[in-house]
Every structure is written in C-alpha cells, then in structure tokens.
C-alpha cells in the first residue's frame, strides 16, 4: 500500500511495485486522478480514497479496505506528504503541515497495524536536520509559522515517530520491520505548488537547476524500494549517496542528533496519540 500515489515519488513507487508483480493499493485523495494513474502504470492496482489531513477519512479507511476486499497488507509505505505556502488549519483544528505529514499517517498506521505482515516504511526528509522541535507548540499557534519551518518540523516529527515505532516493534518481538527513507531532492511538481507570481518565479528557477542537481521521481523512489529489496537492519534510515543528500543512489545514512532522541520520540508519540485518539499499540 502506497499513500500519495498519484504524483512524484509515490507514483513512481507504485509503478515500480506494480511492474514487479505486486498488487498495489493506491491510497489517494483524488480517486479520479488515481484511477487514471492506475491505468497508466498497469499491473494489479486498487485505488481507495484517503485524505490524510482529515481524521474522519483516515478512520474510515479500514472499512473502505474491507469493501474493496483488501485484508492483509504486506508493506505499508507512508509516502504522502505536503508543503503548504500559507498557514492552514484542518477540519480537526490541526496545522495542515503537521496534520498531513505526521498525524494522518500516524493514525493510519495505528489503525492498520494488525493488518501489516512485513514492513512499514515512512518517508522522511533531510529537512529534519534544520528543524526546531517544539513539543509544547507542535501546531505553531504561538511560535512563528513559516513554510519551511513547518515542513522541517513535521519531518523531524516523522523521524522521531519512526525511531519510537522501531523501538516498540523490537521490544515486542514483532515480525514487522520499520525503516525511514528520504528520496533526495526530487524534481517533481514544485510549480504546481506556486500560487503567487513570486513563488512561480522561484519555482521556475528551481526547475531550471533541478536537472543536474536533483533525482527524478524514479530515482527518488529507489530509497523506498531499497528497503524492500535489500537485507538492511530494522530501524535503518536510507538516503542517497550524493553530496548534501541531493542526488544519488540509495545508501544507509545517519540522522541528526535530534532525530536520535528516544525521550523526545516517546513524547512525540504521546502527543500524536492524544491528537488523533489512536494508540501505537504493538502486540
């Protein structure tokens, strides 16, 4: 199962898996676009609606899986993520970046954990290295909100969630392994995120230099596929080997000191449990 499978790295991941013979559940917000993408990539696919920014959609997802005849999930790939140009609150009252990148995937994983047979892969980002973690203000209601500040904080939160998830899986002796990845800098759909003249100009500049400096979507998907195909340890963080983590082939890499803080990870999970009303309970 791949979230955010209509564009970019998610689509490339779904295409590679379907091409290898896997039955891929494409969990997407726009099912009409999802159906078109499924036709394009071919293979065995099932498109099911999921809006990670809306907890009611997340809570209803297991029932939609059942309606589609999907029981167990071999590999859950939490790929979907978002970067917002303006501060937005979701219907649940959450800041949209942390809602989409952490709280939605966190709740989804907890609700599907009994169905997962083999592996959970969470897509993080090297942006986590520049983040400031404010556990008392995760929605940035009192501290200043910026586009990249909110995004980096959400990705540090994903890294810490992955750290605690791996710890609990190992402690429980679970057969499920979890890994974290980052795809490098991927030249995907930045112009589509740009709704002002200045941002469109910036996006055009980014696209101009992205060719020599960035991975394409297929190369970005390679870090996730590496977790599936290579005998790497549970809890690994897979990135790319290029300078500054921008471009290259998959390798095991290190993470920031903040992303290795088990005490902070436990508090982060407690926050996510309280906000989503779901529990990271591993049997």
């Amino acid at each position: 199962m791949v979230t955010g499978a209509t564009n970019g790295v998610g689509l490339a991941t779904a295409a590679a898996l379907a091409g290898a013979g896997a039955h891929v559940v494409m969990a997407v917000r726009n099912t009409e676009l999802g159906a078109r993408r499924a036709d394009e990539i071919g293979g065995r696919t099932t498109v099911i609606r999921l809006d990670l920014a809306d907890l009611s959609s997340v809570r209803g997802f297991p029932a939609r899986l059942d309606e589609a005849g999907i029981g167990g999930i071999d590999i859950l790939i939490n790929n979907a993520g978002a970067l917002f140009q303006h501060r937005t609150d979701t219907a649940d009252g959450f800041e949209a970046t942390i809602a989409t990148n952490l709280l939605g995937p966190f709740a989804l994983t907890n609700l599907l954990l009994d169905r997962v047979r083999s592996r959970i892969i969470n897509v993080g980002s090297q942006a986590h290295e520049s983040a400031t973690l404010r556990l008392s203000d995760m929605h940035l209601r009192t501290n200043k909100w910026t586009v990249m500040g909110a995004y980096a904080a959400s990705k540090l939160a994903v890294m810490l969630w992955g750290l605690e998830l791996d710890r609990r899986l190992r402690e429980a002796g679970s057969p499920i392994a979890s890994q974290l990845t980052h795809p490098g800098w991927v030249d995907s759909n930045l112009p589509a995120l740009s709704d002002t003249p200045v941002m469109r100009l910036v996006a055009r500049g980014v696209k101009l230099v992205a060719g020599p400096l960035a991975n394409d979507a297929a190369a970005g998907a390679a870090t996730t596929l590496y977790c599936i195909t290579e005998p790497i340890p549970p809890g690994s963080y897979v990135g790319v080997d290029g300078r500054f983590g921008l471009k290259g082939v998959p390798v095991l890499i290190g993470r920031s000191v903040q992303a290795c803080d088990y005490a902070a990870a436990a508090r982060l999970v407690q926050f996510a449990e309280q906000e989503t009303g779901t529990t990271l309970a591993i049997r």
Side-chain angles (χ1 to χ4, degrees):
M1 175 178 148
V2 183
T3 65
T6 53
N7 290 293
V9 172
L11 177 60
T13 302
L17 293 171
H23 177 191
V24 181
V25 176
M26 301 171 68
V28 302
R29 187 175 61 230
N30 184 337
T31 53
E32 183 179 338
L33 177 58
R36 294 203 301 271
R37 295 294 193 237
D39 286 342
E40 291 168 6
I41 67 177
R44 293 188 300 152
T45 57
T46 300
V47 177
I48 304 179
R49 187 177 186 280
L50 173 66
D51 184 351
L52 289 167
D54 183 348
L55 284 182
S56 66
S57 176
V58 176
R59 292 190 186 103
F61 188 78
R64 293 194 289 278
L65 277 178
D66 291 337
E67 290 168 4
I70 306 295
I73 299 167
D74 292 304
I75 301 168
L76 171 60
I77 302 172
N78 288 311
N79 165 83
L83 182 151
F84 296 89
Q85 290 185 30
H86 309 288
R87 184 191 169 89
T88 305
D89 285 345
T90 69
D92 301 295
F94 302 152
E95 190 277 320
T97 316
I98 198 73
T100 306
N101 295 353
L102 173 73
L103 296 175
F106 177 86
L108 179 71
T109 301
N110 292 345
L111 293 169
L112 297 182
L113 201 53
D114 286 346
R115 300 175 185 244
V116 178
R117 300 187 182 107
S118 174
R119 194 173 304 269
I120 299 167
I121 301 171
N122 291 328
V123 178
S125 170
Q126 286 297 81
H128 85 271
E129 294 184 346
S130 65
T132 299
L133 187 70
R134 297 182 174 92
L135 284 166
S136 61
D137 186 28
M138 293 296 292
H139 296 290
L140 299 176
R141 292 174 178 136
T142 57
N143 288 277
K144 183 179 180 181
W145 185 96
T146 64
V147 174
M148 288 310 300
Y151 180 77
S154 74
K155 287 302 185 177
L156 176 56
V158 169
M159 299 293 292
L160 289 169
W161 166 38
L163 187 72
E164 180 67 2
L165 175 60
D166 172 65
R167 187 193 69 78
R168 294 194 190 188
L169 287 168
R170 294 199 210 191
E171 184 177 70
S174 173
I176 302 169
S178 72
Q179 273 99 24
L180 288 155
T181 72
H182 91 85
W185 180 26
V186 176
D187 175 20
S188 55
N189 61 342
L190 283 172
L193 299 174
S194 307
D195 61 359
T196 68
V198 171
M199 288 305 296
R200 283 195 291 271
L201 182 62
V202 170
R204 283 197 293 270
V206 169
K207 293 289 284 185
L208 185 65
V209 301
L213 295 179
N215 275 333
D216 60 19
T223 57
T224 293
L225 301 173
Y226 188 87
C227 292
I228 297 171
T229 59
E230 298 299 319
I232 61 175
S236 295
Y237 181 36
V238 179
V240 296
D241 67 351
R243 193 175 184 185
F244 305 121
L246 295 177
K247 183 177 184 178
V249 298
V251 291
L252 296 179
I253 60 172
R255 59 198 88 187
S256 71
V257 173
Q258 281 196 98
C260 299
D261 187 335
Y262 281 95
R267 294 196 300 273
L268 184 282
V269 165
Q270 183 180 37
F271 156 78
E273 288 179 334
Q274 290 172 346
E275 295 293 75
T276 64
T278 65
T279 303
L280 179 54
I282 299 168
R283 301 175 181 84

